[in-house]
């Protein structure tokens, strides 16, 4: 027995709506397109056709997974960032569009400085979205990426290879600057960029199911006040920045003042720039020497 595509997709949309998925219609379509590997035009061509039972069952199984809160990006295995397609999985935080404003600022800075072989360090790289995007957009940039998660490093390596920048990137597993202690202690960079965990520990249980139950806690939890990682970064960043180097950090919408105060305690920087996201919220800080 077969069922029309339009009927099973509408059934899926209704199921997602009942489970509180905000973009039920969009997700129902995208999951179908992912399963059958068709674009939007292909999806509409199939709308009035029938679907065999086996494919229908596989589709509804994926809908059931999405209904339980699994992020769409982990189901399809990808997320677009800076116009590039990145593989994602539960080992890595799903790249957000808000982070693009920070990457754009860094790219503009590199291009304005016209520095060849600019050494960039993506600290806590996750999927590699930040560092890989910089490597793609700045042909002379040499990007180093680190993360405490082995799974994240493996994902970032795959993304670098898929996007053709693996020859200008290197990867190290370890927490923050840990990979550069010991014999690597003298390694320095022109730009250090990080999107560290910055959500307050007690806030995490209040987040959307997709985030709190499925995205990696290591990439979310910034400690009691959400500022633990900023303190750790500021304490050692001067060791790893070249003379004239800059530090770029993503921040929570209400953390700008607190992060600036942390930076002031170490007196490593003389100037800064506040970056707003697309919604007009504070999203990033660029610290200059």
């Amino acid at each position: 027995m077969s069922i029309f595509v339009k009927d099973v997709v509408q059934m899926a949309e209704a199921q997602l709506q009942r489970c509180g998925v905000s973009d039920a219609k969009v997700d129902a379509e995208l999951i179908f397109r992912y399963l059958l590997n068709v674009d939007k035009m292909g999806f509409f061509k199939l709308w009035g056709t029938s679907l065999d039972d086996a494919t229908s069952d596989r589709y509804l199984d994926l809908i059931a997974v999405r209904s339980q809160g699994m992020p769409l990006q982990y189901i399809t295995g990808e997320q677009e960032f800076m116009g590039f397609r990145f593989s994602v999985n539960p080992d890595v935080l799903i790249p957000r569009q808000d982070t693009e404003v920070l990457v754009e600022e860094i790219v503009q800075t590199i291009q304005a400085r016209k520095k060849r072989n600019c050494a960039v360090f993506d600290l806590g790289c996750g999927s590699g979205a930040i560092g890989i995007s910089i490597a793609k957009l700045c042909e002379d940039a040499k990007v180093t990426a680190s993360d405490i998660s082995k799974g994240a490093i493996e994902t970032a390596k795959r993304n670098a290879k898929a996007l053709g920048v693996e020859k200008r990137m290197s990867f190290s597993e370890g927490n923050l600057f840990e990979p550069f202690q010991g014999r690597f202690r003298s390694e320095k960079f022109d730009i250090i960029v990080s999107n560290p965990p910055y959500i307050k520990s007690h806030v995490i249980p209040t987040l959307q199911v997709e985030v709190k139950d499925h995205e990696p806690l290591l990439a979310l939890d910034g400690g009691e006040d959400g500022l633990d990682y900023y303190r750790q970064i500021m304490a050692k960043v001067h060791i790893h920045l070249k003379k004239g180097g800059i530090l770029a950090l993503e921040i929570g919408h209400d953390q700008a003042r607190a992060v600036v105060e942390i930076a002031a305690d170490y007196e490593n920087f003389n100037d800064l720039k506040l970056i707003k996201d697309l919604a007009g919220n504070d999203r990033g800080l660029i610290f200059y020497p």
Side-chain angles (χ1 to χ4, degrees):
M1 181 178 177
S2 60
I3 184 172
F4 284 112
V5 169
K6 64 179 181 180
D7 293 330
V8 74
V9 172
Q10 288 170 350
M11 186 189 311
E13 180 185 344
Q15 167 68 13
L16 294 176
Q17 286 178 336
R18 285 193 296 270
C19 294
V21 175
S22 58
D23 294 319
K25 184 175 183 179
V26 172
D27 284 13
E29 176 187 329
L30 289 175
I31 291 173
F32 184 90
R33 287 171 50 191
Y34 159 72
L35 180 63
L36 272 74
N37 192 28
V38 296
D39 59 15
K40 198 172 187 68
M41 182 61 70
F43 171 70
F44 285 118
K45 287 181 178 179
L46 292 172
W47 186 249
T49 64
S50 60
L51 196 65
D52 64 86
D53 288 348
T55 304
S56 177
D57 288 344
R58 291 200 302 273
Y59 175 60
L60 292 177
D61 285 345
L62 292 177
I63 293 298
V65 172
R66 180 70 185 96
S67 297
Q68 295 166 6
M70 179 66 74
L72 173 69
Q73 293 89 341
Y74 290 160
I75 294 173
T76 63
E78 64 180 36
Q79 169 72 345
E80 185 176 300
F81 183 82
M82 294 296 294
F84 308 117
R85 188 169 295 178
F86 286 87
S87 293
V88 294
N89 56 62
D91 285 324
V92 299
L93 195 71
I94 298 167
R96 266 67 170 182
Q97 188 177 22
D98 286 339
T99 304
E100 292 184 354
V101 297
L102 188 64
V103 175
E104 290 167 353
E105 186 70 27
I106 295 168
V107 169
Q108 290 173 11
T109 299
I110 293 173
Q111 293 172 344
R113 290 189 170 194
K114 298 180 180 179
K115 180 178 177 62
R116 294 189 61 82
N117 299 317
C118 181
V120 180
F121 181 23
D122 182 2
L123 181 63
C125 66
S127 66
I130 292 177
I132 291 170
S133 295
I134 292 171
K136 287 288 289 183
L137 296 168
C138 301
E139 294 182 355
D140 286 331
K142 306 290 186 180
V143 181
T144 298
S146 75
D147 201 286
I148 193 173
S149 165
K150 181 178 180 180
I153 289 294
E154 291 175 349
T155 302
K157 286 181 177 179
R158 290 195 297 271
N159 280 323
K161 184 174 182 179
L163 289 167
V165 295
E166 74 274 18
K167 292 183 178 179
R168 288 189 289 112
M169 296 195 68
S170 61
F171 298 87
S172 297
E173 181 184 345
N175 187 38
L176 298 178
F177 297 106
E178 184 180 278
F180 306 99
Q181 295 174 354
R183 67 189 181 94
F184 294 112
R185 184 165 44 212
S186 63
E187 188 159 356
K188 294 179 180 290
F189 305 91
D190 297 294
I191 297 174
I192 295 177
V193 57
S194 182
N195 177 13
Y198 57 71
I199 299 175
K200 297 174 183 176
S201 298
H202 70 272
V203 172
I204 290 176
T206 71
L207 300 176
Q208 291 178 303
V209 171
E210 287 89 342
V211 178
K212 68 183 180 69
D213 290 348
H214 296 280
E215 297 203 60
L217 184 63
L218 276 173
L220 297 170
D221 194 343
E224 183 178 352
D225 62 359
L227 302 171
D228 283 2
Y229 286 91
Y230 297 108
R231 295 187 183 95
Q232 295 177 55
I233 290 170
M234 290 299 179
K236 293 187 176 182
V237 68
H238 65 286
I239 300 173
H240 300 284
L241 269 180
K242 293 181 180 179
K243 183 178 180 180
I246 66 172
L247 171 66
L249 298 172
E250 178 162 334
I251 59 172
H253 68 92
D254 59 351
Q255 293 178 321
R257 181 186 293 271
V259 175
V260 170
E261 289 176 351
I262 291 171
D265 288 342
Y266 292 95
E267 299 181 354
N268 294 326
F269 303 100
N270 296 316
D271 200 5
L272 62 88
K273 181 176 182 179
L274 178 64
I275 309 298
K276 301 280 187 177
D277 62 24
L278 300 177
N281 297 315
D282 294 348
R283 186 54 57 194
L285 284 166
I286 312 289
F287 293 91
Y288 299 92

